[in-house]
Amino acid sequence: MKKQESSSVKTSEDKENLMDKIVSFAKRRGFVFQSSEIYGGFASCYDYGPLGVELKNNIKRQWWKSMVQMRNDVVGLDASILMHPKIWEASGHIESFTDPLVDCKDCKKRFRADHLLEAKGLKPGYLKEKPEAFSEIKCPECGGELTSPRTFNLLMKTHVGPVEDEASISFLRGETCQGIYANFENVKESMRLKIPFGIAQIGKAFRNEITPGNFIFRMREFEQMEMQFFVHPKEAKKCFDYWKPLRMKWYQDLGVKKSNLKFREHGRDELAHYAKEAWDIEYKYPFGGFNELAGIHNRGDWDLSRHSKFSGKDLSYFDAETKEKFMPYIIETSDGADRATLVFLLDAYEEIKGGRTTTTESIKDVEVVLRLDKRLAPIKIAILPLSKKPELEKAAREIQEKLRGEYMTMYDVTGSIGKRYRRQDEIGTPYCITIDFESLEDKKVTVRDRDTMKQDRIALKELAEYFADKFKE
Ligand code: ATP
């Protein structure tokens, strides 16, 4: 069963095709599907398939673990998507949650004016400074003339209740953090928290994006992982400088290559209406290079002041020790679960020309290995009986039963063992267990490592301990 290893040759990274490859790979291997595909698809909405949901859940679990489970100063929350419409007035979203929209007068396509400026190397602030200069920019699709930019609100409207009138209008939340601000008092009181402390939340957000695209990079329905840290205004800068590198480290610790990540500070002219300081963590995507993956924002006292004003409830904080009353500043870390999924997929995807082994059965033009961190891999252990002989299948099923309480496993008995290894490599499974006829005699199995392809012969009674050690976090 052991295969002779050949020196593997990596293909040169074909960046331009990588995105197309990932999109078709994600569909073929059950990671991500276009929403409503049988009806021709529904623009910018995607469904996570059996392996995609595992990957995304693992990403969310790792985020929650690092932000909540491992800390004494952050607690969790799961607020509702629909909230009192006044929240969106207070937050400034009804007034300012807008993107500048332009239409092509010829081909009728719509674009974000700031994206067109960026593509020309101009800063977004240029639009405010010289609106007339926008006429120099032509449609990137057909070269046609564009309309003047007009603002377009990204909030998704809906009606709540049986009557569809002005009074029943509400919004699908445009960001998860507003549910945190609205619950600041509830959480503080119920958990007896003292500032500084944070509240973390994972959940869906909705934006009527003008130009969604690039697969799950920009969707109209997506998931955010946000944490709001409430601090004394004098501590805000220190707190910001503490969280900023931590968020970068999280991506790097989970395997994203350092060379594909960088920080970018928002210029004064692109800061959101609430922000005092903002940095993006950017990833080098195959489309258009470095672009936003996550953000760290100093939101000042904007949110709690505005909610105090609009709700009539004073959300300022009283420090019993210093007797000081103040409006807390908020340091926000904001990550997208879908963008993170895309980044982990892109970064882990590796093609190897000619395959990694020299047996004829596995020689192919290109072999794919998804080098996901073990913590993120959708399937942790594949169980592969060498043949369909009942005695082997019985032994294999027993092994699966022992492991599945702890690990996500997959049972596969079809095709040659080489092909089955390839299938698991392609979806990022870190370990495969092969049960052969010898296993029935010596009560040992072969465990193969995805990355090194090294094979260990492990006694059945030591298997649980062996994997506990391999998956130790
Ligand atoms: P962009 O500049 O790309 O529109 P943003 O600055 O509006 O993003 P934030 O409001 O800071 O984004 O949201 C925080 C995070 O939520 C982003 O860093 C991103 O990971 C994710 N996110 C935002 N909009 C979308 C979207 N339309 N689809 C998928 N993820 C998104």
Side-chain angles (χ1 to χ4, degrees):
M1 192 173 27
K2 277 203 182 247
K3 292 192 162 69
Q4 203 191 329
E5 318 257 319
S6 73
S7 59
S8 62
V9 188
K10 280 181 205 164
T11 54
S12 62
E13 268 189 330
D14 186 355
K15 282 281 181 193
E16 268 163 35
N17 283 328
L18 183 58
M19 201 60 192
D20 293 343
K21 280 181 188 163
I22 288 290
V23 175
S24 77
F25 164 78
K27 180 178 176 188
R28 186 165 47 81
R29 296 311 317 266
F31 282 87
V32 182
F33 309 124
Q34 170 74 68
S35 161
S36 321
E37 199 181 275
I38 58 168
Y39 288 95
F42 192 62
S44 76
C45 293
Y46 289 89
D47 300 339
Y48 285 82
L51 297 184
V53 68
E54 296 297 334
L55 172 59
K56 195 174 165 194
N57 278 343
N58 291 341
I59 292 169
K60 291 190 279 184
R61 200 170 295 133
Q62 284 304 320
W63 185 87
W64 196 263
K65 186 174 177 190
S66 74
M67 301 299 273
V68 181
Q69 187 181 331
M70 302 301 286
R71 305 188 61 98
N72 287 327
D73 56 359
V74 180
V75 293
L77 180 77
D78 183 12
S80 63
I81 288 173
L82 293 171
M83 290 183 275
H84 198 293
K86 261 197 151 179
I87 284 191
W88 302 106
E89 265 179 64
S91 69
H93 279 73
I94 291 185
E95 202 183 324
S96 314
F97 195 44
T98 55
D99 277 336
L101 164 75
V102 289
D103 293 280
C104 173
K105 290 181 184 168
D106 294 339
C107 73
K108 310 290 177 213
K109 289 231 167 78
R110 292 189 149 175
F111 304 95
R112 262 175 68 173
D114 54 332
H115 286 173
L116 298 183
L117 291 170
E118 271 164 33
K120 297 255 174 232
L122 298 166
K123 290 197 165 165
Y126 187 78
L127 199 57
K128 285 183 208 143
E129 290 155 22
K130 290 189 177 180
E132 71 287 352
F134 198 79
S135 58
E136 292 156 22
I137 295 178
K138 301 288 172 222
C139 170
E141 295 281 327
C142 73
E145 200 184 327
L146 298 169
T147 59
S148 311
R150 63 185 191 278
T151 53
F152 177 81
N153 196 294
L154 304 185
L155 277 183
M156 284 216 194
K157 258 189 206 161
T158 186
H159 289 272
V160 176
V163 187
E164 282 196 19
D165 60 10
E166 279 291 308
S168 71
I169 289 178
S170 188
F171 303 92
L172 301 184
R173 67 182 175 202
E175 56 184 21
T176 52
C177 55
Q178 295 302 326
I180 294 181
Y181 310 140
N183 279 294
F184 170 69
E185 278 287 323
N186 283 337
V187 174
K188 176 168 74 69
E189 291 302 311
S190 61
M191 303 304 287
R192 297 182 298 115
L193 296 171
K194 289 201 172 74
I195 273 178
F197 71 88
I199 305 177
Q201 175 168 230
I202 298 176
K204 291 265 181 166
F206 301 81
R207 293 181 189 178
N208 212 354
E209 299 274 5
I210 299 167
T211 48
N214 289 322
F215 194 39
I216 53 175
F217 175 82
R218 189 177 301 286
M219 301 145 89
R220 292 197 171 110
E221 173 183 340
F222 57 99
E223 220 167 346
Q224 291 187 312
M225 309 186 285
E226 295 199 303
M227 192 281 307
Q228 314 295 315
F229 208 80
F230 301 89
V231 288
H232 189 286
K234 282 198 186 128
E235 299 294 312
K237 177 66 182 147
K238 203 166 92 195
C239 180
F240 187 90
D241 292 342
Y242 165 81
W243 281 105
K244 192 179 133 215
L246 268 195
R247 292 312 307 142
M248 176 65 99
K249 190 169 176 292
W250 186 78
Y251 288 101
Q252 291 172 352
D253 285 351
L254 284 170
V256 180
K257 295 173 200 82
K258 280 188 180 167
S259 54
N260 286 337
L261 290 165
K262 74 174 173 70
F263 279 118
R264 186 182 73 84
E265 185 173 15
H266 283 210
R268 289 276 136 215
D269 52 359
E270 57 171 325
L271 280 178
H273 56 271
Y274 51 76
K276 293 223 171 303
E277 182 179 359
W279 290 72
D280 286 344
I281 294 176
E282 294 193 331
Y283 181 76
K284 199 172 174 189
Y285 297 94
F287 51 90
F290 279 103
N291 218 320
E292 179 169 342
L293 162 61
I296 304 108
H297 313 125
N298 178 350
R299 300 178 68 119
D301 62 2
W302 163 268
D303 302 284
L304 293 186
S305 304
R306 294 277 291 190
H307 285 302
S308 295
K309 186 171 159 204
F310 280 71
S311 69
K313 184 161 172 62
D314 180 11
L315 297 176
S316 59
Y317 179 82
F318 178 69
D319 188 323
E321 271 171 42
T322 62
K323 311 283 178 233
E324 189 189 359
K325 192 176 168 194
F326 61 90
M327 197 54 86
Y329 267 36
I330 293 170
I331 305 303
E332 166 185 73
T333 70
S334 188
D335 296 72
D338 309 275
R339 254 182 225 186
T341 304
L342 176 60
V343 161
F344 284 117
L345 275 176
L346 285 167
D347 217 71
Y349 185 89
E350 188 178 320
E351 291 184 341
I352 296 157
K353 251 187 198 158
R356 295 194 290 174
T357 54
T358 55
T359 52
T360 43
E361 63 181 0
S362 62
I363 286 183
K364 292 189 226 140
D365 283 347
V366 173
E367 203 174 282
V368 171
V369 184
L370 196 63
R371 296 195 189 274
L372 286 171
D373 185 280
K374 283 179 209 171
R375 291 165 289 180
L376 301 185
I379 306 294
K380 308 295 184 204
I381 303 166
I383 318 281
L384 316 174
L386 191 63
S387 84
K388 286 183 180 162
K389 288 267 167 20
E391 58 272 37
L392 281 191
E393 286 227 58
K394 181 170 174 285
R397 294 274 184 207
E398 280 171 14
I399 292 171
Q400 186 181 29
E401 284 314 309
K402 287 210 178 94
L403 293 171
R404 70 185 339 163
E406 276 303 312
Y407 310 102
M408 194 70 196
T409 61
M410 185 182 269
Y411 188 87
D412 186 7
V413 74
T414 55
S416 71
I417 198 74
K419 280 205 185 110
R420 283 185 269 163
Y421 282 157
R422 303 288 90 73
R423 283 204 288 263
Q424 295 300 327
D425 288 347
E426 207 181 8
I427 61 170
T429 307
Y431 299 104
C432 291
I433 300 179
T434 307
I435 300 99
D436 54 26
F437 289 103
E438 232 182 295
S439 305
L440 303 177
E441 303 300 321
D442 67 1
K443 307 282 178 230
K444 287 182 176 173
V445 290
T446 303
V447 179
R448 177 205 183 250
D449 180 295
R450 176 196 72 199
D451 295 329
T452 62
M453 295 197 299
K454 216 175 130 270
Q455 303 190 352
D456 287 338
R457 196 80 186 157
I458 307 292
L460 281 178
K461 60 177 180 351
E462 282 161 21
L463 209 52
E465 208 182 313
Y466 176 86
F467 284 122
D469 185 51
K470 293 282 185 197
F471 286 103
K472 198 164 65 198
E473 285 190 14

CSV table of all heavy atoms in Angstrom, one decimal, residues 112 175 207 209 216-220 222 224 226 266 274 291-295 297 334-336 338-339, ligand 1:
chain,number,residue,atom,x,y,z
A,112,ARG,N,-20.2,51.4,-9.0
A,112,ARG,CA,-19.9,52.3,-7.9
A,112,ARG,C,-18.8,53.3,-8.3
A,112,ARG,O,-17.7,52.9,-8.8
A,112,ARG,CB,-19.4,51.5,-6.7
A,112,ARG,CG,-20.5,51.2,-5.7
A,112,ARG,CD,-20.0,50.3,-4.6
A,112,ARG,NE,-19.1,51.0,-3.7
A,112,ARG,CZ,-18.6,50.4,-2.6
A,112,ARG,NH1,-19.1,49.2,-2.3
A,112,ARG,NH2,-17.8,51.0,-1.9
A,175,GLU,N,-25.6,45.8,9.4
A,175,GLU,CA,-24.4,45.4,10.1
A,175,GLU,C,-24.8,44.8,11.4
A,175,GLU,O,-25.9,45.2,12.0
A,175,GLU,CB,-23.4,46.6,10.3
A,175,GLU,CG,-24.0,47.7,11.1
A,175,GLU,CD,-23.1,48.9,11.2
A,175,GLU,OE1,-22.1,49.0,10.4
A,175,GLU,OE2,-23.3,49.8,12.1
A,207,ARG,N,-27.0,43.9,2.6
A,207,ARG,CA,-26.8,45.2,2.0
A,207,ARG,C,-27.2,45.1,0.5
A,207,ARG,O,-26.8,44.1,-0.2
A,207,ARG,CB,-25.3,45.5,2.0
A,207,ARG,CG,-24.8,45.8,3.5
A,207,ARG,CD,-23.4,46.2,3.6
A,207,ARG,NE,-23.0,46.2,5.0
A,207,ARG,CZ,-21.8,46.4,5.4
A,207,ARG,NH1,-20.8,46.7,4.6
A,207,ARG,NH2,-21.5,46.4,6.7
A,209,GLU,N,-26.0,45.9,-2.2
A,209,GLU,CA,-24.8,46.3,-2.9
A,209,GLU,C,-25.1,46.6,-4.4
A,209,GLU,O,-25.9,45.9,-5.1
A,209,GLU,CB,-23.8,45.2,-2.9
A,209,GLU,CG,-23.3,44.8,-1.5
A,209,GLU,CD,-22.2,45.6,-1.0
A,209,GLU,OE1,-21.8,46.6,-1.6
A,209,GLU,OE2,-21.7,45.3,0.1
A,216,ILE,N,-18.1,34.9,-3.4
A,216,ILE,CA,-18.6,35.2,-2.0
A,216,ILE,C,-17.9,36.4,-1.4
A,216,ILE,O,-18.0,36.7,-0.2
A,216,ILE,CB,-18.6,34.0,-1.1
A,216,ILE,CG1,-17.2,33.4,-1.1
A,216,ILE,CG2,-19.6,33.0,-1.5
A,216,ILE,CD1,-17.0,32.2,-0.1
A,217,PHE,N,-17.1,37.2,-2.2
A,217,PHE,CA,-16.4,38.3,-1.7
A,217,PHE,C,-17.4,39.4,-1.4
A,217,PHE,O,-17.3,40.1,-0.4
A,217,PHE,CB,-15.4,38.9,-2.7
A,217,PHE,CG,-14.7,40.2,-2.4
A,217,PHE,CD1,-13.7,40.1,-1.5
A,217,PHE,CD2,-15.2,41.4,-2.8
A,217,PHE,CE1,-13.0,41.3,-1.1
A,217,PHE,CE2,-14.6,42.6,-2.5
A,217,PHE,CZ,-13.5,42.5,-1.6
A,218,ARG,N,-18.3,39.7,-2.3
A,218,ARG,CA,-19.3,40.8,-2.1
A,218,ARG,C,-20.7,40.2,-2.4
A,218,ARG,O,-21.0,40.0,-3.5
A,218,ARG,CB,-19.0,42.0,-3.0
A,218,ARG,CG,-19.9,43.2,-2.6
A,218,ARG,CD,-19.5,44.4,-3.4
A,218,ARG,NE,-18.2,44.8,-3.3
A,218,ARG,CZ,-17.7,45.4,-2.2
A,218,ARG,NH1,-18.5,45.7,-1.1
A,218,ARG,NH2,-16.4,45.8,-2.1
A,219,MET,N,-21.5,40.0,-1.3
A,219,MET,CA,-22.8,39.4,-1.5
A,219,MET,C,-23.9,40.4,-1.0
A,219,MET,O,-23.5,41.4,-0.3
A,219,MET,CB,-22.9,38.1,-0.7
A,219,MET,CG,-21.9,37.1,-1.1
A,219,MET,SD,-21.4,36.1,0.3
A,219,MET,CE,-22.6,34.8,0.3
A,220,ARG,N,-25.1,40.1,-1.2
A,220,ARG,CA,-26.2,41.0,-0.7
A,220,ARG,C,-26.6,40.4,0.7
A,220,ARG,O,-27.2,41.1,1.5
A,220,ARG,CB,-27.3,41.1,-1.7
A,220,ARG,CG,-26.9,41.9,-2.9
A,220,ARG,CD,-28.1,42.5,-3.7
A,220,ARG,NE,-27.6,43.4,-4.7
A,220,ARG,CZ,-27.6,43.2,-6.0
A,220,ARG,NH1,-28.1,42.0,-6.5
A,220,ARG,NH2,-27.2,44.1,-6.8
A,222,PHE,N,-24.9,38.2,3.8
A,222,PHE,CA,-23.6,37.7,4.2
A,222,PHE,C,-23.5,37.6,5.7
A,222,PHE,O,-24.5,38.0,6.4
A,222,PHE,CB,-22.4,38.5,3.6
A,222,PHE,CG,-22.5,40.0,4.0
A,222,PHE,CD1,-21.7,40.4,5.0
A,222,PHE,CD2,-23.3,40.9,3.3
A,222,PHE,CE1,-21.7,41.8,5.4
A,222,PHE,CE2,-23.3,42.2,3.7
A,222,PHE,CZ,-22.5,42.7,4.7
A,224,GLN,N,-21.4,38.3,9.3
A,224,GLN,CA,-20.3,39.1,9.9
A,224,GLN,C,-19.9,38.5,11.3
A,224,GLN,O,-20.8,37.8,11.9
A,224,GLN,CB,-20.7,40.5,10.2
A,224,GLN,CG,-20.9,41.3,8.9
A,224,GLN,CD,-21.1,42.8,9.1
A,224,GLN,OE1,-22.0,43.2,10.0
A,224,GLN,NE2,-20.4,43.7,8.5
A,226,GLU,N,-18.4,40.2,14.5
A,226,GLU,CA,-18.0,41.5,15.0
A,226,GLU,C,-17.9,41.5,16.5
A,226,GLU,O,-18.6,40.8,17.2
A,226,GLU,CB,-19.1,42.5,14.6
A,226,GLU,CG,-19.1,42.7,13.1
A,226,GLU,CD,-19.8,44.0,12.7
A,226,GLU,OE1,-21.0,44.2,13.0
A,226,GLU,OE2,-19.2,44.8,11.9
A,266,HIS,N,-7.4,53.8,6.6
A,266,HIS,CA,-8.3,54.6,5.8
A,266,HIS,C,-7.9,56.0,5.8
A,266,HIS,O,-7.5,56.6,6.9
A,266,HIS,CB,-9.7,54.5,6.5
A,266,HIS,CG,-10.4,53.3,6.2
A,266,HIS,ND1,-11.8,53.2,6.1
A,266,HIS,CD2,-10.0,52.0,5.9
A,266,HIS,CE1,-12.1,51.9,5.8
A,266,HIS,NE2,-11.0,51.2,5.7
A,274,TYR,N,-18.9,57.6,11.4
A,274,TYR,CA,-18.7,57.4,12.8
A,274,TYR,C,-17.3,57.3,13.2
A,274,TYR,O,-16.9,57.4,14.4
A,274,TYR,CB,-19.5,56.2,13.3
A,274,TYR,CG,-19.2,55.0,12.5
A,274,TYR,CD1,-18.0,54.3,12.6
A,274,TYR,CD2,-20.1,54.5,11.5
A,274,TYR,CE1,-17.7,53.2,11.9
A,274,TYR,CE2,-19.8,53.4,10.7
A,274,TYR,CZ,-18.6,52.7,10.9
A,274,TYR,OH,-18.3,51.7,10.2
A,291,ASN,N,-7.3,43.8,-1.3
A,291,ASN,CA,-8.6,44.3,-1.1
A,291,ASN,C,-9.1,43.9,0.3
A,291,ASN,O,-8.5,43.0,0.9
A,291,ASN,CB,-9.6,43.8,-2.1
A,291,ASN,CG,-10.6,44.8,-2.5
A,291,ASN,OD1,-11.0,45.6,-1.7
A,291,ASN,ND2,-10.9,44.9,-3.8
A,292,GLU,N,-10.1,44.6,0.8
A,292,GLU,CA,-10.5,44.4,2.2
A,292,GLU,C,-10.9,42.9,2.6
A,292,GLU,O,-11.7,42.3,1.9
A,292,GLU,CB,-11.7,45.3,2.6
A,292,GLU,CG,-12.2,45.1,4.0
A,292,GLU,CD,-13.2,46.2,4.4
A,292,GLU,OE1,-13.2,47.3,3.7
A,292,GLU,OE2,-13.9,46.0,5.4
A,293,LEU,N,-10.4,42.5,3.7
A,293,LEU,CA,-10.8,41.2,4.3
A,293,LEU,C,-11.6,41.5,5.6
A,293,LEU,O,-12.6,40.9,5.9
A,293,LEU,CB,-9.6,40.3,4.5
A,293,LEU,CG,-9.7,39.1,5.5
A,293,LEU,CD1,-10.8,38.1,5.0
A,293,LEU,CD2,-8.4,38.4,5.6
A,294,ALA,N,-11.0,42.4,6.4
A,294,ALA,CA,-11.6,42.7,7.7
A,294,ALA,C,-11.3,44.1,8.1
A,294,ALA,O,-10.4,44.8,7.4
A,294,ALA,CB,-11.0,41.7,8.8
A,295,GLY,N,-11.9,44.6,9.2
A,295,GLY,CA,-11.6,46.0,9.6
A,295,GLY,C,-11.5,46.1,11.1
A,295,GLY,O,-12.0,45.3,11.8
A,297,HIS,N,-11.9,49.4,13.8
A,297,HIS,CA,-12.4,50.7,13.8
A,297,HIS,C,-12.5,51.3,15.2
A,297,HIS,O,-12.9,50.7,16.1
A,297,HIS,CB,-13.8,50.8,13.1
A,297,HIS,CG,-13.9,50.1,11.9
A,297,HIS,ND1,-14.9,49.1,11.7
A,297,HIS,CD2,-13.2,50.1,10.7
A,297,HIS,CE1,-14.8,48.6,10.5
A,297,HIS,NE2,-13.7,49.2,9.9
A,334,SER,N,-14.2,43.9,12.9
A,334,SER,CA,-15.3,43.5,12.0
A,334,SER,C,-14.7,42.6,11.0
A,334,SER,O,-13.9,43.0,10.1
A,334,SER,CB,-15.9,44.7,11.4
A,334,SER,OG,-17.0,44.4,10.7
A,335,ASP,N,-15.2,41.3,11.0
A,335,ASP,CA,-14.7,40.3,10.0
A,335,ASP,C,-15.9,39.7,9.3
A,335,ASP,O,-16.9,39.6,9.9
A,335,ASP,CB,-13.9,39.2,10.7
A,335,ASP,CG,-12.7,39.7,11.4
A,335,ASP,OD1,-12.8,40.3,12.5
A,335,ASP,OD2,-11.6,39.4,10.9
A,336,GLY,N,-15.7,39.4,8.0
A,336,GLY,CA,-16.7,38.7,7.3
A,336,GLY,C,-16.5,37.2,7.2
A,336,GLY,O,-15.4,36.8,6.8
A,338,ASP,N,-17.9,35.1,5.3
A,338,ASP,CA,-17.8,34.6,3.9
A,338,ASP,C,-16.5,35.0,3.2
A,338,ASP,O,-15.9,34.2,2.5
A,338,ASP,CB,-19.0,35.2,3.1
A,338,ASP,CG,-20.3,34.9,3.8
A,338,ASP,OD1,-20.9,33.8,3.7
A,338,ASP,OD2,-20.7,35.8,4.6
A,339,ARG,N,-16.1,36.3,3.5
A,339,ARG,CA,-14.8,36.7,2.9
A,339,ARG,C,-13.7,35.9,3.5
A,339,ARG,O,-12.7,35.5,2.8
A,339,ARG,CB,-14.6,38.2,3.2
A,339,ARG,CG,-14.7,39.0,1.9
A,339,ARG,CD,-14.5,40.4,2.1
A,339,ARG,NE,-15.5,41.1,1.5
A,339,ARG,CZ,-15.6,42.4,1.4
A,339,ARG,NH1,-14.6,43.2,1.9
A,339,ARG,NH2,-16.6,43.1,0.7
B,1,ATP,P1,-16.4,47.1,1.4
B,1,ATP,O1,-15.5,48.3,1.4
B,1,ATP,O2,-15.7,45.9,0.8
B,1,ATP,O3,-17.7,47.3,0.8
B,1,ATP,P2,-17.1,47.6,4.1
B,1,ATP,O4,-15.9,48.5,4.5
B,1,ATP,O5,-18.4,48.2,3.7
B,1,ATP,O6,-16.6,46.6,2.9
B,1,ATP,P3,-17.6,46.8,6.7
B,1,ATP,O7,-18.9,47.6,6.8
B,1,ATP,O8,-16.4,47.3,7.5
B,1,ATP,O9,-17.2,46.5,5.2
B,1,ATP,O10,-17.9,45.3,7.1
B,1,ATP,C1,-17.0,44.5,7.8
B,1,ATP,C2,-16.7,43.2,7.1
B,1,ATP,O11,-17.9,42.6,6.6
B,1,ATP,C3,-15.9,43.4,5.8
B,1,ATP,O12,-14.5,43.5,6.1
B,1,ATP,C4,-16.1,42.2,5.0
B,1,ATP,O13,-15.4,41.1,5.5
B,1,ATP,C5,-17.6,41.9,5.4
B,1,ATP,N1,-18.5,42.4,4.3
B,1,ATP,C6,-18.9,43.7,4.1
B,1,ATP,N2,-19.7,43.8,3.1
B,1,ATP,C7,-19.8,42.5,2.5
B,1,ATP,C8,-20.5,41.9,1.4
B,1,ATP,N3,-21.3,42.7,0.7
B,1,ATP,N4,-20.3,40.6,1.2
B,1,ATP,C9,-19.5,39.8,2.0
B,1,ATP,N5,-18.9,40.3,3.0
B,1,ATP,C10,-19.0,41.6,3.3
